[in-house]
Amino acid sequence: MTIKKLLIANRGEIAVRIIRAAKELGIQTVQVYSEADTESLAVKLADEAICIGGPMANQSYLCGDEVIQAAKQSGADAIHPGYGFLSENARFSDDVRNAGIIFVGPSGKTMTKMADKARARETAISAGVPVVPGSAPSDNPESALEQAKRIGFPVMIKASAGGGGRGIRVIEDEKEFLSQYYQASAEAQSAFGDGTLYLEKFIRRSRHVEVQILADGENAVHLYERECSLQRRRQKVWEEAPCAVLPDSVREAMCQSAVSLAKSVNYKGAGTVEFLYDDESESFFFIEMNTRIQVEHPITEAITGIDLIREMIHIAAGRSIAFKQKDIQRRGHAIEIRLNAEDPFNGFLPFPGVINSFTPPMGSGVRFDGLIYSGFAIPPYYDSLLGKLIVWDENRESAIYRMARALDELSIEGVKTTQPLFQRLCKAPDVIGGNFHTAWLEQWLETLDTSKPEEQPDSKKDNSLTIAS
Ligand code: ADP
Ligand code: ADP
Ligand code: MG
């Protein structure tokens, strides 16, 4: 099979990213868009663009039938779903294939086994991968309470169909369990169209470490791990590769677990196996698998030199993975920050508006994957991600200094962004020392003196700091 024309069923920075990869492969691009995205960078860069509906995602980017229709109309032979929207929708994956079009991602069958979080837990257990102590899904609150007592409080209630940090609650004790369970189920039903819940032991001080894999249906390889513990509302905001505190033996075991899991379902495509890592006991536990490209994929590209979107397209076209595990080397350290149009000093209030001027940072080891340009009006209908700033350097210490330098160079006028927050993070001793867990950032935000939002932190090198490498 060859892919000559690729339709991008997404928007924002990931649409731009996919268009760039396709162009480098000599593949024509078709961008579908909503009425709110007429002036988007992706629409400007694509060879063709087709409007598929209104501004709200359920009028456009979530309309699988409209997307498939646009692919047929334009003669596209493949569809890349990006992340979010239809990317983990098993039915869409099958519908695309049934329409005779290549879906750049796993089959609906594999997705059902892995993208549904409760089922993925069971798949992981069968594959011998350690999971967080927890329960199978249950629609009976009373028996769920019995399970919670067995697991021991605090527990987490998770929606099987949840994602993006949504559909998760922490329950501290037995008293609040039942009422929270009913609420969580109703919320999951309305947010994801599926009220199925399951339980996990709440691990208070853990790190989020995830393994990137690539698989062609026969072979599976890993591209090492990413550390994503700096989160707000369970969404990653700063990611690194590799994880600075992971002993080599644990890294090896974790990466092997991810590969075994992928092989156990004959996985085909790019995927991420997410774990919680307890650095005291040096143990790790599977939490979920994302059967798609992830927001933070560029840091893996930076340390391995492998273009993940290009590989996804090759695999979808039926090629075997061209390299062996031993050929995948990692070098240096990479960091990504998610630049959002939000006011970090006012409760992260979304800040749609017009970008009056935009100057991206440049120079050695710096990459900006974004959707903005000077004069661009940010539509208010979608998430507030403006772009991702990625830096690479020989080691973690230099990468943090490079991030601080790049952030100082970045200039966006017209809207508030999370840039000043990251400038402060680059100077936080715990970040510099690599001493953090998934709850660290929210605790740090509470202690932050936000009375001086205009203060520009001095990012000059301070050689007295010790940076974990
Ligand atoms: P990553 O793990 O790649 O950082 P996230 O889990 O944060 O990805 O999700 C990536 C994007 O997809 C975000 O825009 C997120 O809001 C969206 N997303 C993921 N899963 C869902 C879901 N089940 N429902 C709605 N949005 C989702
Ligand atoms: P999503 O599908 O929304 O990405 P995840 O299951 O991956 O949901 O969890 C999101 C985040 O919530 C994790 O990165 C981690 O910070 C936290 N988390 C998830 N499970 C647990 C747990 N059992 N104990 C403590 N924190 C957890
Ligand atoms: Mg997750």
Side-chain angles (χ1 to χ4, degrees), residues 353-370:
V354 178
I355 310 276
N356 295 327
S357 92
F358 164 55
T359 314
M362 292 190 206
S364 188
V366 176
R367 165 175 172 184
F368 189 84
D369 273 23

Side-chain angles (χ1 to χ4, degrees), residues 217-232:
E218 309 230 322
N219 287 315
V221 292
H222 69 79
L223 285 83
Y224 299 97
E225 82 284 3
R226 296 183 284 258
E227 148 82 71
C228 313
S229 302
L230 294 180
Q231 305 181 348
R232 186 176 161 268

Side-chain angles (χ1 to χ4, degrees), residues 7-282:
L7 182 142
I8 296 100
N10 213 295
R11 63 175 304 283
E13 68 85 19
I14 195 65
V16 173
R17 169 74 186 90
I18 297 164
I19 292 170
R20 286 176 172 151
K23 288 197 169 184
E24 289 166 9
L25 291 168
I27 296 173
Q28 292 286 305
T29 49
V30 184
Q31 178 63 51
V32 293
Y33 65 99
S34 77
E35 284 158 12
D37 276 335
T38 321
E39 298 300 319
S40 75
L41 187 56
V43 168
K44 290 183 193 301
L45 291 179
D47 298 304
E48 290 169 49
I50 299 176
C51 183
I52 52 164
M56 306 300 287
N58 62 11
Q59 302 169 327
S60 47
Y61 298 108
L62 287 170
C63 298
D65 292 344
E66 303 298 321
V67 171
I68 293 171
Q69 188 50 41
K72 286 184 178 160
Q73 180 193 325
S74 59
D77 30 44
I79 296 179
H80 196 307
Y83 54 69
F85 299 123
L86 293 164
S87 63
E88 292 187 279
N89 185 313
R91 184 161 155 220
F92 179 66
S93 166
D94 286 341
D95 286 351
V96 170
R97 282 189 182 83
N98 291 337
I101 300 165
I102 296 169
F103 179 78
V104 184
S107 65
K109 196 171 147 214
T110 308
M111 267 190 206
T112 316
K113 276 188 200 155
M114 296 310 306
D116 176 288
K117 295 172 70 173
R119 283 199 62 186
R121 240 182 91 81
E122 277 152 29
T123 313
I125 294 169
S126 312
V129 174
V131 299
V132 181
S135 76
S138 161
D139 49 17
N140 178 341
E142 300 289 342
S143 71
L145 176 58
E146 288 312 307
Q147 293 291 333
K149 287 192 208 155
R150 174 185 60 80
I151 298 163
F153 285 91
V155 295
M156 257 184 169
I157 300 182
K158 288 189 173 182
S160 284
R166 300 188 309 140
I168 295 181
R169 283 167 193 243
V170 180
I171 314 295
E172 293 291 340
D173 61 57
E174 208 180 312
K175 283 199 304 291
E176 34 167 343
F177 186 85
L178 285 176
S179 63
Q180 292 270 8
Y181 197 90
Y182 286 116
Q183 274 179 39
S185 179
E187 255 178 44
Q189 183 63 45
S190 74
F192 316 116
D194 176 358
T196 309
L197 304 175
Y198 66 105
L199 305 178
E200 265 176 16
K201 173 96 189 148
F202 176 56
I203 304 180
R204 217 178 275 282
R205 288 180 67 95
S206 57
R207 289 184 180 248
H208 174 117
V209 183
E210 59 185 34
V211 177
Q212 175 70 52
I213 60 116
L214 277 177
D216 59 17
E218 309 230 322
N219 287 315
V221 292
H222 69 79
L223 285 83
Y224 299 97
E225 82 284 3
R226 296 183 284 258
E227 148 82 71
C228 313
S229 302
L230 294 180
Q231 305 181 348
R232 186 176 161 268
R233 298 194 167 163
R234 306 202 164 87
Q235 274 206 339
K236 303 153 189 169
V237 303
W238 160 304
E239 300 108 343
E240 304 187 18
C243 168
V245 300
L246 208 60
D248 279 338
S249 59
V250 181
R251 170 173 297 117
E252 181 59 25
M254 189 186 277
C255 291
Q256 282 315 320
S257 285
V259 167
S260 313
L261 184 58
K263 282 188 174 157
S264 79
V265 294
N266 300 316
Y267 194 81
K268 200 171 168 187
T272 298
V273 183
E274 297 190 333
F275 297 96
L276 291 181
Y277 174 59
D278 173 3
D279 48 14
E280 270 168 32
S281 64
E282 296 188 355

Side-chain angles (χ1 to χ4, degrees), residues 397-418:
E397 176 177 20
S398 315
I400 294 177
Y401 288 129
R402 183 164 276 174
M403 177 59 85
R405 184 277 287 174
L407 281 165
D408 287 353
E409 220 176 290
L410 167 73
S411 161
I412 296 180
E413 280 166 30
V415 298
K416 292 202 167 150
T417 77
T418 47

Side-chain angles (χ1 to χ4, degrees), residues 83-84 161-164 166 235-236 290 292 294-296 338 383:
Y83 54 69
R166 300 188 309 140
Q235 274 206 339
K236 303 153 189 169
N290 294 317
R292 53 167 165 86
Q294 271 187 294
V295 177
E296 58 274 23
R338 300 192 190 190
D383 67 26

